[in-house]
Amino acid sequence: MSTEHLVPEDLRELYHVKEWRNAAGVLTTACPNEWEEIVTILRKFRLLRSEVQAAGKNRSPISKQLDGAFYAIGWKEKQFKTAIKLDEVEVESPTHKIDCFKGRVALELEWNNKDPFFDRDLNNFRLLYDLRAIDVGIIVTRATELQSIFNSLGKGTSYGNSTTHHTKLWPRIDGGGGGGCPILTFAITPKLYVDDGPPAVIPPSEPAEDDD
């Protein structure tokens, strides 16, 4: 029996929601404090036109907005130190870093990476769950339908079909990519989009005049 109904109705209106192995039930019962924080942050999030259009390198303003909200209330980027030991030989096998971690909940934000990053995230969740380090994994990504908005803003080429969006993620989950780990996914839909105007253009500062 699915427990997706435990995700508040307003979030199911704003995001495409999909769970694997009753993840919502695990969150509400085993991780209630972390779940409350996740719900609060996802309710407050809005996809701003100015952030979609903002030029930038590394993590986008959209990723920073979400990550920053979690970091502000005690979530941390986390990498587990793991190793494989055979007889007396030990080989270090560290996990990939988790974007946001608290309690026993691992959360990854995949806004605009290459879609194989989903395989990495799901495999990481599976490994950490098998090692009893986490109880549940969460992935926040974007809905495929946002492409029409990106196209209208002249940003369509920045977001391709081979990048991270929900129709690339869900078949991987259904295929068992996360193993036995309960997983809950949220895909940002056009209902969260807010046209707050283009990003501000800051003119270059003029050199100071010499005082004679």
Side-chain angles (χ1 to χ4, degrees):
M1 178 179 177
S2 172
T3 61
E4 280 183 21
H5 65 281
L6 296 175
V7 178
E9 184 177 357
D10 61 317
L11 289 187
R12 286 184 276 127
E13 287 290 323
L14 296 170
Y15 299 84
H16 293 324
V17 177
K18 182 179 179 65
E19 72 168 1
W20 172 258
R21 292 189 176 268
N22 301 317
V26 174
L27 282 162
T28 56
T29 56
C31 315
N33 295 331
E34 290 82 5
W35 176 233
E36 182 178 353
E37 292 174 350
I38 292 165
V39 169
T40 298
I41 288 173
L42 292 181
R43 276 181 173 150
K44 290 181 178 178
F45 172 78
R46 291 298 180 269
L47 178 62
L48 304 179
R49 172 186 170 183
S50 60
E51 293 188 343
V52 173
Q53 290 188 300
K57 297 180 180 179
N58 301 321
R59 293 183 73 76
S60 74
I62 298 154
S63 298
K64 291 177 181 177
Q65 179 192 162
L66 276 166
D67 283 349
F70 282 102
Y71 297 153
I73 56 174
W75 293 65
K76 305 288 186 182
E77 187 179 62
K78 174 72 174 178
Q79 183 175 29
F80 288 88
K81 295 180 180 179
T82 59
I84 299 171
K85 188 171 183 180
L86 182 62
D87 292 333
E88 300 304 315
V89 179
E90 184 173 291
V91 179
E92 292 187 358
S93 178
T95 65
H96 290 284
K97 286 183 179 179
I98 296 168
D99 289 335
C100 302
F101 178 81
K102 192 174 186 181
R104 294 178 59 83
V105 180
L107 185 148
E108 293 284 2
L109 176 60
E110 296 295 359
W111 170 250
N112 191 30
N113 275 321
K114 295 297 183 182
D115 67 91
F117 275 75
F118 284 144
D119 297 314
R120 182 204 67 179
D121 295 339
L122 294 174
N123 186 61
N124 210 27
F125 289 164
R126 177 193 58 77
L127 174 63
L128 292 173
Y129 180 77
D130 288 346
L131 292 173
R132 304 176 186 179
I134 67 172
D135 289 331
V136 64
I138 298 172
I139 296 178
V140 180
T141 189
R142 70 179 198 270
T144 308
E145 302 96 288
L146 287 175
Q147 189 65 38
S148 61
I149 292 176
F150 303 148
N151 292 342
S152 71
L153 297 176
K155 297 288 289 186
T157 57
S158 299
Y159 301 87
N161 185 55
S162 61
T163 58
T164 46
H165 51 91
H166 84 281
T167 54
K168 289 289 186 177
L169 172 60
W170 287 7
R172 288 171 158 92
I173 293 175
D174 289 335
C181 180
I183 297 168
L184 185 62
T185 72
F186 294 90
I188 298 164
T189 73
K191 291 182 179 179
L192 286 159
Y193 177 69
V194 175
D195 189 343
D196 64 335
V201 177
I202 302 175
S205 58
E206 296 182 1
E209 295 182 359
D210 293 332
D211 292 329
D212 293 331

